[in-house]
């Protein structure tokens, strides 16, 4: 319930929030990623806009580049589908965490394509610590 309250400014409708949080938790646990870290990343990447499209063409909550969907081997794939987006996004985050030996700053920079620039990772960590840490 605490996370639902934290999500309320971004997502109207309690049932939608709870459904989103359940799916996110399932996918994060499946990928062995902190659900709180995934929430912070989503806030920074898309502001919880399910249909966000970046100027680079990244799509959905976790701003997945379409080439990742092709790598997942599923065709056709809808990156605006909640479960699909969260599953691929959490899997990508796990991939970068593994490559970075669980160094969250380096993994987040790789996720965002901003390696060498600390602004993005530290923004995600700031959001994590100010909004998504359990009370």
């Amino acid at each position: 319930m605490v996370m639902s309250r934290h999500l309320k400014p971004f997502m109207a409708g309690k049932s939608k929030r709870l459904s989103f949080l359940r799916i996110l938790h399932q996918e994060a646990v499946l990928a062995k990623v902190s659900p709180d870290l995934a929430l912070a990343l989503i806030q920074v990447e898309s502001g919880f806009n399910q249909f966000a499209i970046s100027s680079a063409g990244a799509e959905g909550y976790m701003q997945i580049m379409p080439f990742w969907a092709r790598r997942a081997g599923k065709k056709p794939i809808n990156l605006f589908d909640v479960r699909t987006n969260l599953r691929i996004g959490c899997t990508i985050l796990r991939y970068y965490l593994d490559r970075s030996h669980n160094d969250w700053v380096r993994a987040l920079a790789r996720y965002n394509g901003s390696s060498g620039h600390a602004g993005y990772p530290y923004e995600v960590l700031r959001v994590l610590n100010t909004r998504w840490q359990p009370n």
Side-chain angles (χ1 to χ4, degrees):
M1 290 304 240
V2 171
M3 292 303 187
S4 179
R5 277 197 318 265
H6 290 305
L7 187 55
K8 191 174 182 177
F10 303 100
M11 191 178 292
K14 185 176 181 179
S15 63
K16 182 178 180 180
R17 286 193 307 275
L18 291 176
S19 175
F20 173 85
L21 288 168
R22 272 195 230 61
I23 294 168
L24 174 71
H25 188 266
Q26 290 168 351
E27 297 304 333
V29 167
L30 182 67
K32 297 182 174 100
V33 169
S34 161
D36 300 332
L37 179 60
L39 284 163
L41 183 145
I42 293 167
Q43 182 177 335
V44 172
E45 284 287 340
S46 70
F48 292 94
N49 178 353
Q50 180 179 355
F51 301 105
I53 301 175
S54 76
S55 60
E59 300 178 356
Y61 287 120
M62 295 189 80
Q63 291 292 275
I64 309 300
M65 291 298 289
F67 77 84
W68 282 107
R70 290 189 295 277
R71 277 187 152 181
K74 295 181 181 179
K75 296 185 185 193
I77 196 160
N78 178 2
L79 289 173
F80 298 115
D81 175 73
V82 176
R83 186 171 298 278
T84 300
N85 190 275
L86 298 179
R87 176 166 293 167
I88 294 173
C90 287
T91 300
I92 295 166
L93 183 55
R94 177 76 263 157
Y95 170 77
Y96 286 131
L97 286 164
D98 289 346
R99 287 195 62 200
S100 302
H101 306 288
N102 285 318
D103 179 327
W104 285 18
V105 171
R106 293 181 80 193
L108 289 167
R110 286 177 166 165
Y111 185 96
N112 178 258
S114 61
S115 290
H117 304 283
Y120 172 83
Y122 287 113
E123 176 62 11
V124 173
L125 295 175
R126 184 194 67 75
V127 168
L128 171 68
N129 291 319
T130 59
R131 177 170 293 277
W132 299 110
Q133 288 298 305
N135 296 343

